[in-house]
């Protein structure tokens, strides 16, 4: 959650570390030694192979999978890969904010985000074309853009984001125009409303 980080609240509007650096705790007696800590960055794509490995089962199609088990693959196999995160446009929450205050300027929030991380370098790109590169080793709060100092990293990480950005809409307006978007049924709308999303 952003709790004032970067002037933001909640778990939307960014891909800062305050949102994407989430601890994963596993308790599996006799399978995970107590005190085991994985220190290199990992991804959600690693969760399924890790759980499958702990359960002693294989997964269909695992050979084409990007994720790696945190228990069996060596740290060096995970350390230098590019990890990708994405966040679609915020959707109905902007409408809720505007309903409470029609004078809010939310143009800076109406966009999608994508990020690529390799080692300590993290490139963040928004759906409107802005980008910034952060070195998390020296700047864990992501306050200083170091893109000019590392143009080769920007190029490499931008290339890694080319596929995710191709399907991620830049704004809510573009998302609403997406072909094949099914309308929500009444029960789904009611559940989303109860959760505060509509």
């Amino acid at each position: 959650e952003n709790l004032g980080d970067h002037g933001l609240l909640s778990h939307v509007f960014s891909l800062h570390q305050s949102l994407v650096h989430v601890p994963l705790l596993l308790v599996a007696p006799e399978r995970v030694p107590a005190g085991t800590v994985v220190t290199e960055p990992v991804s959600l794509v690693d969760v399924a192979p890790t759980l499958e490995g702990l359960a002693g089962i294989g997964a269909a199609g695992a050979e084409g999978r990007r994720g790696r088990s945190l228990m069996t693959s060596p740290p060096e196999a995970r350390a230098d890969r590019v990890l990708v995160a994405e966040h679609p446009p915020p959707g109905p929450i902007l409408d809720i904010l505007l309903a409470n205050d029609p004078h809010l300027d939310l143009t800076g929030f109406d966009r999608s985000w994508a990020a690529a991380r390799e080692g300590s370098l993290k490139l963040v790109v928004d759906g409107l074309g802005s980008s910034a590169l952060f070195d998390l080793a020296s700047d864990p709060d992501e306050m200083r853009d170091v893109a000019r100092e590392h143009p080769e990293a920007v190029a490499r990480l931008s290339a890694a984001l080319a596929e995710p950005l191709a399907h991620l809409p830049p704004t809510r307006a573009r998302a609403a125009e997406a072909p094949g978007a099914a309308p929500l049924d009444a029960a789904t709308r009611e559940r989303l409303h109860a959760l505060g999303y509509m």
Side-chain angles (χ1 to χ4, degrees), residues 109-132:
F109 301 104
D110 186 10
R111 62 185 70 184
S112 58
W113 299 92
R117 178 174 177 179
E118 183 179 45
S120 68
L121 293 178
K122 177 182 171 186
L123 179 70
V124 179
V125 179
D126 72 20
L128 301 178
S130 297
S131 66

Side-chain angles (χ1 to χ4, degrees), residues 20 25 27 30 36 55 88 91 99 101-102 110 112 138 140 142 145 151 160-161 164 167 171 185-186:
V20 299
L25 303 176
V27 178
E30 299 178 21
T36 300
D101 185 350
D110 186 10
S112 58
S138 60
E142 298 166 283
D145 183 0
L161 285 178
H167 75 268
T171 64
D185 60 62

Side-chain angles (χ1 to χ4, degrees), residues 19-104:
L19 299 188
V20 299
H21 185 198
V22 179
L24 170 65
L25 303 176
L26 293 173
V27 178
E30 299 178 21
R31 292 187 181 262
V32 178
T36 300
V37 177
V38 174
T39 57
E40 72 278 0
V42 297
S43 172
L44 286 175
V45 299
D46 299 322
V47 174
T50 299
L51 296 178
E52 290 161 355
L54 289 172
I57 59 173
E63 64 281 348
R65 180 183 282 170
R66 289 183 300 159
R68 299 176 182 141
S69 171
L70 304 179
M71 298 294 106
T72 58
S73 64
E76 58 272 15
R78 302 185 305 264
D80 293 329
R81 64 189 170 141
V82 176
L83 302 178
V84 175
E86 56 189 10
H87 193 300
I93 192 168
L94 294 183
D95 297 324
I96 294 168
L97 292 171
L98 286 172
N100 288 316
D101 185 350
H103 303 292
L104 285 174

